[in-house]
Amino acid sequence: MANSFTEAVRVRLKALLSSTRLGQFASVGVVGATVDTFALFLLVEVTILGPVGGKVLAWELGIVVIFVINERWTFATYGDPGARALGRRFLRSNAVRFAGFIVTLTVLTILVYWFDVWYLAANVIGIGVGFVVNYTCESLYTWKVHRDGR
């Protein structure tokens, strides 16, 4: 049992350490973070939404953009084909990214309301903290990169 657990951990770590995929994921993340931050700025400055309300809407827009690019580029050779499988990956991605969102929103809220950090700077810091959660969970849960050792 311990040997199979150790092997499972080793396989997953090896899959996560793909420098190409990590680089692609980070590049896509920069695009998503830019969309998120720009949308957050517009929502806070042009509407009556504050940083937290604006973040919720900006986040969903950012993750849709990220999912589409990751599906077509970063993880293009992973996942089952077909509309149903694509839909399941999108739902899993949203669930996974929700964990990253909670991390990002918590960091943003603490930095803005406890430490008086400018909301856009707090957002970028939160996105950076959430990156590790998102990369790990997207790789292993959404696209299951560890299954075939690619």
Side-chain angles (χ1 to χ4, degrees):
M1 178 75 172
N3 193 21
S4 62
F5 175 77
T6 304
E7 180 63 17
V9 169
R10 188 192 66 72
V11 166
R12 284 162 176 79
L13 283 174
K14 183 179 177 191
L16 287 174
L17 295 176
S18 165
S19 59
T20 300
R21 191 172 40 256
L22 180 59
Q24 288 173 316
F25 191 85
S27 298
V28 173
V30 168
V31 172
T34 301
V35 168
D36 176 290
T37 302
F38 184 69
L40 176 61
F41 172 77
L42 287 177
L43 289 165
V44 169
E45 300 300 327
V46 178
T47 73
I48 62 169
L49 295 173
V52 175
K55 177 62 182 174
V56 171
L57 296 174
W59 167 75
E60 184 60 32
L61 178 61
I63 67 161
V64 168
V65 169
I66 287 169
F67 177 81
V68 169
I69 298 171
N70 274 330
E71 178 71 18
R72 300 275 184 210
W73 184 45
T74 310
F75 300 105
T77 60
Y78 297 93
D80 295 331
R84 181 173 280 215
L86 176 66
R88 281 193 304 268
R89 280 193 301 280
F90 181 72
L91 291 175
R92 279 195 309 259
S93 181
N94 266 270
V96 162
R97 295 227 173 238
F98 186 71
F101 170 69
I102 294 300
V103 170
T104 301
L105 186 62
T106 300
V107 170
L108 177 132
T109 301
I110 289 169
L111 291 177
V112 168
Y113 294 109
W114 292 4
F115 297 100
D116 202 29
V117 173
W118 183 42
Y119 72 93
L120 292 179
N123 186 55
V124 171
I125 293 166
I127 288 169
V129 173
F131 173 83
V132 173
V133 171
N134 287 333
Y135 177 68
T136 301
C137 294
E138 287 282 43
S139 295
L140 299 179
Y141 179 67
T142 302
W143 281 279
K144 303 178 190 290
V145 300
H146 59 284
R147 283 196 171 168
D148 64 359
R150 278 185 246 180

